[in-house]
Amino acid sequence: AENLDFGQKIDAPENQSDNEIVEKYCFENDEANCESFGGLYQWHEAMQYTTSPAAQGICPDGWHLPTDLEWLQLEIFLDPTIQPETYYWRGYNCGQQLQLGGSSGFEALLSGYWDKNEFDFISQHTETIFWTSTINPYNVVNTWFRKYALDIPQSYRNGCDHNHAMSVRCIKNN
C-alpha cells in the first residue's frame, strides 16, 4: 500500500542502466523525496529488462508489476463508468478514490515524475504516474501508464516513452 522505494539512488539525468544494480531517481535528486514518495524508475529498470507482462521486475518475491488489465480491473471495481479501451481522462471518480485520503485505501501519493524530454522533475504534489508492465500494442516504444492528479477525479490512461521515470506499485501474485 505504498510506492516502491528500492534500489540505489542515482542523479537524473543519468540513465538507469542494466548493470545488476537496481537504480532509482529521487524527485529533485533528494533522497528525502524517495523516503516520502518512493523512487522513480525508468520502465526498463522497473521491469528488470524484460518485456513480459506481469513480470516481477524490481518488486519483491511473490509480487509483480501490474498489467494494464490489472489496473483496469481495479479502476472498474471503483468506478464502473470507465470504458476499457478509452484513453486520457476517463470515468467519474476513480482517481479521487485512489489518491491519499480517498475511499479505496490505495493512498496514491502525488509523487511527480522525471520527464526525459524536459530533463526535469515535474508535478510533485500535483500528480502521480504509475507504470504498468504492458507495452502499448499501438506503439511498441511506449508502455501503458496510469495518472492521478490533484483536483481531477478521473483516471488517466495513455502510453509513454520508456525513458521517463515514474512510480511503481507492486501487486501480490495470486
Side-chain angles (χ1 to χ4, degrees):
E2 60 187 40
N3 294 359
L4 189 65
D5 181 24
F6 175 71
Q8 178 179 320
K9 178 189 157 300
I10 64 169
D11 287 343
E14 180 183 349
N15 279 321
Q16 297 168 0
S17 60
D18 187 4
N19 60 5
E20 309 221 0
I21 298 169
V22 175
E23 298 167 323
K24 65 182 179 181
Y25 300 137
C26 299
F27 197 90
E28 297 293 348
N29 294 320
D30 182 347
E31 184 73 39
N33 282 315
C34 278
E35 293 168 12
S36 298
F37 294 96
L40 300 172
Y41 303 90
Q42 292 176 314
W43 188 76
H44 287 293
E45 187 75 8
M47 292 287 291
Q48 284 296 277
Y49 302 91
T50 183
T51 58
S52 301
Q56 177 181 343
I58 60 173
C59 294
D61 288 340
W63 296 72
H64 66 274
L65 272 83
T67 64
D68 184 57
L69 179 60
E70 288 170 325
W71 273 106
L72 175 65
Q73 290 168 337
L74 171 64
E75 292 171 327
I76 288 176
F77 175 79
L78 296 171
D79 183 354
T81 68
I82 291 177
Q83 299 298 310
E85 292 301 316
T86 58
Y87 301 79
Y88 309 116
W89 294 111
R90 59 209 194 122
Y92 176 69
N93 68 355
C94 176
Q96 182 178 16
Q97 292 183 64
L98 289 169
Q99 289 182 46
L100 184 65
S103 60
S104 70
F106 188 84
E107 303 295 316
L109 302 173
L110 300 175
S111 55
Y113 63 98
W114 165 255
D115 187 314
K116 184 66 174 174
N117 297 327
E118 299 292 325
F119 289 96
D120 201 5
F121 291 97
I122 307 286
S123 299
Q124 189 180 51
H125 303 294
T126 59
E127 64 185 32
T128 189
I129 306 176
F130 293 101
W131 285 120
T132 77
S133 60
T134 307
I135 292 176
N136 178 347
Y138 308 110
N139 185 344
V140 296
V141 297
N142 282 277
T143 299
W144 292 119
F145 69 83
R146 292 304 191 284
K147 175 167 66 173
Y148 307 107
L150 183 67
D151 299 327
I152 300 177
Q154 294 93 358
S155 167
Y156 188 89
R157 175 185 184 243
N158 206 349
C160 183
D161 180 285
H162 298 151
N163 290 317
H164 296 288
M166 302 183 217
S167 296
V168 170
R169 283 283 178 111
C170 300
I171 188 170
K172 192 168 181 132
N173 298 342
N174 291 332

